[in-house]
Amino acid sequence: MPEDADLLTPDGVARVQRRTVAVLAAGQVLGGVAFGATVSLGALLAADLSGQEAFSGLATASVTLGAALCAIPLARLAASRGRRRALTLGNLFALVGIALVITAAAVRWFPLLLVGVILIGAGNAGNLQSRFAATDLSAPTRRGRDLGTVVWATTVGGVLGPLMLTPGEVVGGWLGMPPLTGSYAFSIVAQVLALALCLVGLRPDPLRIAQALARSAGSGPALVAEQDSPRVARYAVFAVAGSHVVMASVMAMTPVHLSHLDPRNVTTIVGVTIALHVFGMYGLSPVFGVLADRWGRLRTILLGQAVLAASLVTAAVAPQSATAVLIALVLLGLGWSAATVGGAALLTEATPTALRPRRQGRSDTAMTLAAAIGSVLAGGVLQLIGYGGLAMVALVVVVAITVLSPYARR
């Protein structure tokens, strides 16, 4: 509860909001370094420590599990104690997780590796919450833009993490670290900086100020949406989770599919395709944020579904063309970005301040669990009916999100 009455004025709120967005964006860059290294190295470490390549997928599953398990508890902590404490705890989880991963590699104990990766996933739940924290004090005309800015910052960390692999191994060798863990030396530094940034930069706490505004009669009606629209909120959660499962399931199977198209150049093709896909996911998120503010949240979600549909049709029509798959993956990332930014903004404005953290936590849990289930099922679908068939199955979800959109109209 902020004690300074100046913070509850429009100028005070705007000042805190500008600082909050800057701090959250910087935190996303730093936190993304640790997460990007885990995504890149997790499967390799799992295969190395377990001695079986069949267990390599457990690293990715553990990251998702950690995020799903901690999304709601961290949201509840934010509701009761503020964003700063929730995001700080997420950073601590990730820091402990990195230490356990390095220890597991040193003692060569596979179960400890999975525990460490789960904790890193728990830290990623805090990263997911950051995009909602960016909207706590946003004016309705800037909510999508602020959210898109924080999402865009994920691009930097997501790119830097994998790029740290080669220099990380050199540094790790100097430090005597176990093989395949050298880049975590950079991750530890980045995570400590993110922790310090969160502790210092999120003062005053944006959610605490939003809660104070909501409790103050006549204070900031343009800043805090107090009208509850549960039907709209449910649709927003469904749209975000559905778009995420479409993206995750098709993206997860793309490297496998490309390896069959050109086995000799698989690393180059997969690397370029996934890199451009990641750029599509995050690179234009500020643009979709502006569209969500000016054009409308629901229209931006439906734009995302149109782009996702174009992606899936392209993949289904020409699954044997590496160029067509590349185009499909770029469109897949762009469609996901539009739907996620629009859906998160819609969920925020459809929910009163007191209920926002809880619903936002449920949205993150639904999104991560849907992606985990979809990625597992996608392997069986790919084996049964191929890459084009997988795209057509995913298209059913896009159609469902589009058909149900009238239920989200106020």
Side-chain angles (χ1 to χ4, degrees):
M1 175 79 178
E3 297 179 357
D4 191 346
D6 291 340
L7 295 176
L8 302 182
T9 65
D11 288 342
V13 169
R15 185 172 62 253
V16 173
Q17 174 63 6
R18 287 193 297 270
R19 179 176 180 176
T20 297
V21 171
V23 168
L24 292 173
Q28 286 294 91
V29 173
L30 294 170
V33 172
F35 187 71
T38 301
V39 171
S40 304
L41 292 173
L44 296 176
L45 282 169
D48 179 48
L49 297 186
S50 67
Q52 300 184 47
E53 289 189 356
F55 289 162
S56 61
L58 289 180
T60 302
S62 296
V63 170
T64 305
L65 177 63
L69 289 176
C70 288
I72 291 178
L74 286 179
R76 289 178 176 173
L77 179 61
S80 62
R81 306 300 294 273
R83 295 287 190 192
R84 184 173 64 88
R85 298 203 178 187
L87 297 183
T88 297
L89 182 59
N91 280 317
L92 284 174
F93 280 148
L95 196 56
V96 174
I98 294 170
L100 290 181
V101 166
I102 296 173
T103 303
V107 301
R108 302 197 60 78
W109 191 23
F110 180 59
L112 184 61
L113 172 71
L114 296 183
V115 173
V117 174
I118 287 173
L119 286 174
I120 293 175
N124 191 49
N127 288 341
L128 291 174
Q129 191 180 126
S130 292
R131 73 191 194 283
F132 289 121
T135 67
D136 287 334
L137 293 174
S138 286
T141 55
R142 289 191 56 89
R143 186 170 288 137
R145 186 179 306 178
D146 290 343
L147 192 151
T149 299
V150 173
V151 172
W152 174 85
T154 309
T155 311
V156 182
V159 171
L160 283 178
L163 291 178
M164 293 293 101
L165 299 186
T166 300
E169 285 305 296
V170 175
V171 173
W174 293 342
L175 298 176
M177 297 176 67
L180 298 177
T181 65
S183 63
Y184 282 114
F186 299 120
S187 298
I188 290 176
V189 174
Q191 203 65 57
V192 169
L193 291 175
L195 179 62
L197 183 66
C198 187
L199 283 171
V200 176
L202 290 182
R203 290 177 181 271
D205 191 290
L207 183 56
R208 302 288 276 177
I209 295 178
Q211 291 167 338
L213 285 170
R215 289 192 295 266
S216 300
S219 294
L223 293 174
V224 183
E226 288 305 300
Q227 184 177 5
D228 190 13
S229 303
R231 183 172 65 181
V232 177
R234 285 194 294 269
Y235 174 79
V237 172
F238 172 66
V240 170
S243 301
H244 193 64
V245 73
V246 168
M247 184 278 296
S249 58
V250 175
M251 185 269 291
M253 293 300 105
T254 297
V256 178
H257 175 66
L258 289 175
S259 68
H260 297 306
L261 295 184
D262 191 353
R264 291 175 299 178
N265 299 313
V266 62
T267 54
T268 301
I269 294 175
V270 170
V272 171
T273 300
I274 298 302
L276 291 177
H277 167 70
V278 171
F279 174 79
M281 289 175 64
Y282 301 115
L284 297 185
S285 55
V287 176
F288 293 126
V290 172
L291 282 178
D293 289 335
R294 297 183 178 179
W295 202 32
R297 324 301 189 199
L298 185 57
R299 287 182 177 179
T300 305
I301 292 173
L302 293 178
L303 171 64
Q305 302 315 301
V307 178
L308 286 174
S311 165
L312 297 174
V313 170
T314 301
V317 170
Q320 300 306 312
S321 168
T323 302
V325 172
L326 172 63
I327 294 172
L329 263 288
V330 173
L331 293 175
L332 191 72
L334 291 171
W336 175 89
S337 183
T340 300
V341 171
L346 181 63
L347 175 62
T348 298
E349 70 178 16
T351 305
T353 303
L355 298 178
R356 280 181 189 171
R358 182 180 301 176
R359 285 185 182 170
Q360 291 164 350
R362 290 174 180 172
S363 177
D364 287 341
T365 299
M367 183 178 75
T368 51
L369 285 178
I373 295 172
S375 298
V376 171
L377 295 179
V381 174
L382 180 70
Q383 188 173 8
L384 287 175
I385 56 178
Y387 192 72
L390 173 63
M392 287 294 95
V393 172
L395 188 61
V396 174
V397 180
V398 173
V399 172
I401 295 172
T402 305
V403 169
L404 293 176
S405 63
Y407 290 97
R409 300 186 186 279
R410 294 180 184 273

